[in-house]
Amino acid sequence: MTEVSVIVRVPPTTDSHGDRVTTLAHEFDTFVRSRTPALLRSAYLLTGDQHLAEDLVQTALARTHRQWRKLHEVGNAEAYTRKTMYHLQVSWWRKRRVAESLPGDMPERPANDSSSATALKLTLRQALLRLTDKQRAVLVLRYFDDHTEAETAELLGVSLGTVKSQTAKALARLRLVAPELAHLGGTR
């Protein structure tokens, strides 16, 4: 994945606490600089496209900026940003409803090919794109972002049972569409 810089312009604001506004702007800037790479990785897994991932992060950060005063006070800016990303992705997907064309089978690779990691990434990407957005979001939150089932349910605004059922359905679907990934999952 390529390095991407996200630019968020903080509009000048004034209030009776001039220093506080500067501090909040600096803290938001620090948040953006430190968390953008991780947010982009998650966004890429959600969207399957680098440019859509960048748009998703940019939009989520813009919404986070609008709520920064409140988020700063309670200290959950990253959770808010990630939840915003997941909801935006589902919203964008519903609006698009464009049929994706998935290529056929991966071409056979030569025996001396050292690009097995790249092939694995492409296979995983294709397999993830064959899941529903909710299933993909659950898998990304649970296994990539390493959230618990309860945290995943809270971030997505769904019940714990929904997280469990969507995880089971997504893993079953992955086993069906990409059996070559079975060695990654452990014993099952």
Side-chain angles (χ1 to χ4, degrees):
M1 197 176 314
T2 59
E3 183 78 19
V4 177
S5 63
V6 176
I7 300 171
V8 175
R9 300 214 186 277
V10 178
T13 58
T14 57
D15 68 0
S16 60
H17 310 288
D19 291 338
R20 183 167 183 249
V21 172
T22 304
T23 302
L24 288 174
H26 175 70
E27 288 175 1
F28 180 74
D29 184 56
T30 301
F31 169 75
V32 169
R33 290 178 193 277
S34 66
R35 300 311 305 152
T36 294
L39 293 170
L40 280 170
R41 285 189 298 271
S42 294
Y44 180 79
L45 289 172
L46 288 170
T47 63
D49 180 84
Q50 183 66 35
H51 299 292
L52 289 175
E54 292 168 8
D55 290 346
L56 185 61
V57 170
Q58 185 74 24
T59 304
L61 286 172
R63 290 186 181 188
T64 301
H65 179 259
R66 282 187 237 133
Q67 299 298 320
W68 188 251
R69 283 184 199 268
K70 293 178 198 171
L71 295 170
H72 169 74
E73 292 171 9
V74 294
N76 63 353
E78 184 166 357
Y80 177 88
T81 305
R82 286 182 181 277
K83 186 172 185 176
T84 300
M85 282 174 31
Y86 303 128
H87 287 274
L88 282 170
Q89 170 58 16
V90 170
S91 175
W92 290 356
W93 176 80
R94 285 181 180 147
K95 288 178 186 175
R96 276 196 318 259
R97 292 287 183 181
V98 175
E100 292 183 27
S101 65
L102 298 173
D105 295 332
M106 295 279 294
E108 293 294 322
R109 59 185 167 155
N112 297 347
D113 191 1
S114 64
S115 62
S116 61
T118 302
L120 178 63
K121 287 178 186 176
L122 289 172
T123 302
L124 182 59
R125 180 178 177 266
Q126 284 181 332
L128 286 173
L129 288 174
R130 297 179 88 179
L131 301 175
T132 67
D133 282 347
K134 188 176 277 189
Q135 289 172 345
R136 189 168 45 246
V138 167
L139 288 186
V140 168
L141 285 169
R142 289 282 293 124
Y143 299 109
F144 181 75
D145 289 343
D146 201 27
H147 287 286
T148 65
E149 290 172 335
E151 291 169 339
T152 301
E154 184 179 334
L155 282 169
L156 293 176
V158 298
S159 71
L160 186 60
T162 299
V163 170
K164 290 178 180 183
S165 69
Q166 290 299 308
T167 300
K169 289 176 184 177
L171 292 174
R173 177 84 174 142
L174 283 179
R175 286 185 197 101
L176 181 69
V177 300
E180 63 271 22
L181 297 176
H183 70 282
L184 298 177
T187 59
R188 192 166 178 180

